[in-house]
Amino acid sequence: MAPDAPRRPYDASRRQEAARRNRAAVLAACRELLFAEGYRAATVRAVAERAGVSPETVYKSFGGKSGLVKALWDTTLAGDDEPVAMAERPQLRAVWEARDPAVKLRRYAGFVRGVHERLAPLFGLLVQAGPEVAEVLALSERERLTGVTAFVGHLADAGVLPPGGDPARLADACWALTGPQLFTQLTAGRGWSADAYQEWLAGLLAAALLGAP
C-alpha cells in the first residue's frame, strides 16, 4: 500500500472571513432597523432576516439583542470593527506623544469630539428606548470612565497635574465634561458647531486638569 499522504493543515481563513462578513452585515442591519423603525422593531429575528443570516448566528456572535446593541455602540464609537484598543488608535497615540500639555488637551478634545459626532445619533435613539438599554448605556459610561481615568493617569505620569490634585476627582471632572449628554445639549440643543464645542472643551479641560486660567 502507498504511504498515506501528509495531511494539509486546516485553513480557517475562509471561515473567519465569512464570520467577519456576517458580523458586518448584522451590525449594518441592526443600525438600519434601529433608525428606520425604532428599538423595539430591531428584534434579533428582524435583524437576522435583513442581514441574510439565521437568528442562531446572531445569538452565537452577540449573545442576544443587548449584546448586539453594545457591539453596535462600540463599533460606532471606534469608527470601525477592527480589534484595536482605543488607546492604540492614531488619535489617542497622538495625545500620548504630545509633549506640550496644552497640545495634549486640544488633541484629546478633538478625539472626544470625533467620538461624539459618530455616537450622537445612536445615543439620542437609545436614551429614548427605555430601561431595556439602560445597562448598555451604563456599561458604556463605566468604560468611558475607565478611559478618562487612564488619560488623567497619563497626565499625572507626565507631571503636568497641579500639585496636590486628586487624580480620582480630576478624572470625575473630566468624565463629566466629556459626556455625550453635554455634547448633544450644546450642539443639537443650543446649535453649537463641533468646532466651537471642541474649543470650549479644550479650554475647560485645561482649567479643570491643569489649573490654567
Side-chain angles (χ1 to χ4, degrees):
M1 296 179 59
D4 292 338
R7 291 185 178 183
R8 297 175 62 184
Y10 175 67
D11 182 2
S13 59
R14 289 186 179 180
R15 187 172 182 177
Q16 292 168 349
E17 180 57 32
R20 283 193 290 269
R21 286 198 305 269
N22 286 342
R23 179 179 172 88
V26 168
L27 289 172
C30 181
R31 175 180 290 278
E32 291 167 6
L33 275 172
L34 282 173
F35 284 99
E37 302 182 32
Y39 179 81
R40 294 191 181 282
T43 64
V44 168
R45 183 170 296 278
V47 169
E49 183 176 343
R50 180 173 287 235
V53 301
S54 68
E56 290 73 18
T57 295
V58 178
Y59 283 112
K60 183 177 180 180
S61 299
F62 300 98
K65 185 171 179 178
S66 61
L68 175 56
V69 171
K70 181 58 167 63
L72 179 62
W73 178 277
D74 290 344
T75 56
T76 304
L77 184 154
D80 57 55
D81 197 23
E82 295 300 316
V84 179
M86 289 301 296
E88 296 300 319
R89 290 173 176 268
Q91 210 170 2
L92 277 181
R93 290 186 66 85
V95 174
W96 313 142
E97 292 166 3
R99 294 182 177 273
D100 186 332
V103 173
K104 283 186 183 294
L105 294 184
R106 285 198 298 273
R107 290 180 179 178
Y108 189 72
F111 160 74
V112 172
R113 166 194 172 171
V115 165
H116 289 327
E117 284 182 310
R118 292 190 295 273
L119 278 177
L122 182 59
F123 174 74
L125 186 150
L126 293 181
V127 294
Q128 298 177 30
E132 289 186 50
V133 297
E135 180 53 32
V136 172
L137 294 174
L139 175 58
S140 299
E141 281 298 280
R142 292 194 295 270
E143 292 172 346
R144 190 170 68 81
L145 179 58
T146 297
V148 166
T149 300
F151 171 60
V152 173
H154 166 73
L155 295 178
D157 292 342
V160 301
L161 294 181
D166 179 357
R169 190 175 182 89
L170 291 174
D172 286 346
C174 185
W175 174 77
L177 290 173
T178 57
Q181 298 92 337
L182 198 49
F183 174 83
T184 301
Q185 288 172 333
L186 292 175
T187 54
R190 299 302 303 160
W192 285 28
S193 68
D195 285 341
Y197 166 81
Q198 181 177 337
E199 182 179 357
W200 170 85
L201 180 60
L204 275 190
L205 289 176
L209 300 178
L210 306 182

